[in-house]
């Protein structure tokens, strides 16, 4: 693989995804409005019900809005990863992805470039949301906005790779739309995005165990700690491992000689 051609392909994919996302104003608005609705209605409504004790990385009692913001950031990354995977199903069958995969470059590089491009496009929206959250008195340290960037990238890559792996096993657009709903909501609600793990353990140890095993929980915690200038090694290790596993499945699934569809009986 010649690095010059590989970097040209990466730059082209990044540019295409950025231009496409900028042109989708409705998608941009939905990505901002969705977490703001949760923050402005759900969090305010549950503030008195879901009181929080002092838990890391917080050093004092906090409002529920402060706790839920990293979870909502994770939700943005999750929805973005799934939506981009939905477009991958379409692109693979009818659009640019079908042509892209015929390029004389390794399949893992092309898929990795697409995954990185999808992650980069969501970062400005996440920062817009974090700035708007200041109106709800969610004010992390100023340096936290910079410290959280690597956590956002790793979490975005993990969730994007998860969606990419799903898209590699599904051919029809309609089927993937149903799978999105089947995956997104259990992954979001059975996590620490909305409730701390100790509170889940009080209600249901089984649910707490599921939330701990959920990679999305560790992505949320990685973002939460980084936003307050702390590093969570366990969350980092699990997110990095999950990213590698999901991406490996995606590369395998998109390989016509080895993937899922290669073993499918001819129609």
């Amino acid at each position: 693989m010649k690095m010059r051609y590989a970097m040209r392909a990466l730059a082209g994919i990044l540019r295409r995804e950025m231009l496409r996302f900028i042109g989708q104003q409705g998608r941009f608005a939905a990505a901002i409005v969705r977490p703001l609705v949760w923050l402005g209605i759900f969090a305010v409504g549950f503030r008195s019900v879901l009181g929080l004790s002092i838990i890391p990385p917080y050093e004092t009692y906090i409002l529920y809005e402060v706790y839920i913001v990293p979870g909502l950031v994770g939700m943005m990354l999750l929805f973005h990863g799934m939506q981009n995977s939905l477009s991958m199903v379409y692109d693979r069958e009818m659009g640019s992805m079908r042509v892209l995969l015929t390029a004389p470059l390794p399949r893992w590089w092309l898929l990795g470039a697409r995954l990185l491009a999808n992650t980069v496009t969501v970062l400005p929206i996440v920062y817009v949301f974090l700035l708007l959250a200041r109106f709800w008195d969610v004010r992390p340290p100023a340096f936290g906005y910079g410290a959280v960037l690597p956590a956002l990238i790793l979490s975005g890559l993990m969730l994007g790779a998860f969606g990419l792996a799903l898209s590699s096993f599904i051919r029809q657009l309609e089927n993937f739309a149903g799978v999105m709903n089947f995956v997104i909501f259990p992954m979001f609600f059975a996590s620490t995005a909305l409730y701390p793990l100790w509170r889940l353990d009080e209600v249901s140890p089984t649910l707490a165990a599921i939330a701990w095993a959920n990679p999305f929980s560790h992505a949320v915690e990685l973002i939460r700690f980084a936003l307050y200038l702390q590093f969570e090694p366990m969350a980092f290790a699990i997110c990095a491992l999950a990213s590698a596993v999901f991406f490996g499945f995606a590369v395998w699934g998109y390989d016509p000689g080895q993937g899922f569809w290669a073993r499918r009986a001819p129609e």
Side-chain angles (χ1 to χ4, degrees):
M1 179 177 67
K2 292 186 177 180
M3 187 54 62
R4 178 163 61 94
Y5 297 134
M7 295 308 297
R8 182 181 297 178
L10 175 60
I13 293 172
L14 282 169
R15 182 174 180 272
R16 176 184 180 272
E17 293 303 312
M18 289 295 293
L19 290 175
R20 185 167 72 168
F21 191 77
I22 291 173
Q24 297 174 334
Q25 290 85 1
R27 185 176 172 186
F28 177 87
I32 291 292
V33 170
R34 186 185 300 114
L36 288 178
V37 169
W38 278 82
L39 184 60
I41 299 177
F42 179 87
V44 172
F46 280 80
R47 178 190 297 173
S48 59
V49 178
L50 299 173
L52 297 173
S53 61
I54 302 175
I55 56 174
Y58 311 108
E59 298 178 353
T60 182
Y61 288 93
I62 57 171
L63 295 175
Y64 184 59
E65 290 92 327
V66 175
Y67 178 83
I68 201 179
V69 160
L72 296 179
V73 169
M75 180 183 72
M76 296 175 70
L77 297 175
L78 177 61
F79 270 86
H80 184 79
M82 291 296 112
Q83 288 173 341
N84 278 307
S85 299
L86 180 64
S87 69
M88 285 280 286
V89 176
Y90 178 84
D91 282 351
R92 187 189 60 215
E93 299 306 314
M94 303 180 182
S96 61
M97 199 63 191
R98 177 184 286 250
V99 178
L100 182 63
L101 291 176
T102 64
L105 290 169
R107 192 171 298 270
W108 65 266
W109 178 265
L110 297 171
L111 292 174
R114 180 69 184 265
L115 178 61
L116 178 61
N118 291 338
T119 302
V120 169
T121 55
V122 75
L123 295 179
I125 310 173
V126 170
Y127 275 101
V128 170
F129 169 69
L130 289 175
L131 293 177
L132 291 175
R134 297 180 69 87
F135 289 102
W136 282 267
D137 290 327
V138 182
R139 301 175 183 271
F143 289 109
Y145 292 102
V148 78
L149 180 60
L152 293 175
I153 294 174
L154 179 57
S155 299
L157 289 174
M158 184 194 76
L159 296 171
F162 177 68
L164 190 64
L166 284 179
S167 72
S168 69
F169 296 106
I170 298 174
R171 279 193 170 186
Q172 295 183 353
L173 202 63
E174 298 82 0
N175 293 341
F176 191 78
V179 171
M180 281 179 59
N181 291 327
F182 182 76
V183 170
I184 288 177
F185 293 109
M187 194 175 227
F188 177 64
F189 286 109
S191 73
T192 59
L194 301 178
Y195 329 98
L197 196 62
W198 66 266
R199 185 172 290 277
L200 290 175
D201 191 51
E202 286 183 347
V203 177
S204 171
T206 302
L207 181 58
I210 294 173
W212 189 90
N214 184 356
F216 181 71
S217 291
H218 297 283
V220 170
E221 294 307 308
L222 185 66
I223 295 169
R224 189 188 313 281
F225 276 76
L227 197 58
Y228 288 87
L229 302 176
Q230 296 185 38
F231 177 67
E232 176 51 55
M234 176 66 75
F236 175 82
I238 291 177
C239 288
L241 178 61
S243 298
V245 171
F246 293 149
F247 185 68
F249 271 115
V251 173
W252 178 80
Y254 270 93
D255 188 337
Q258 299 178 2
F260 178 78
W261 298 110
R263 306 190 311 277
R264 189 183 182 195
E267 297 179 358

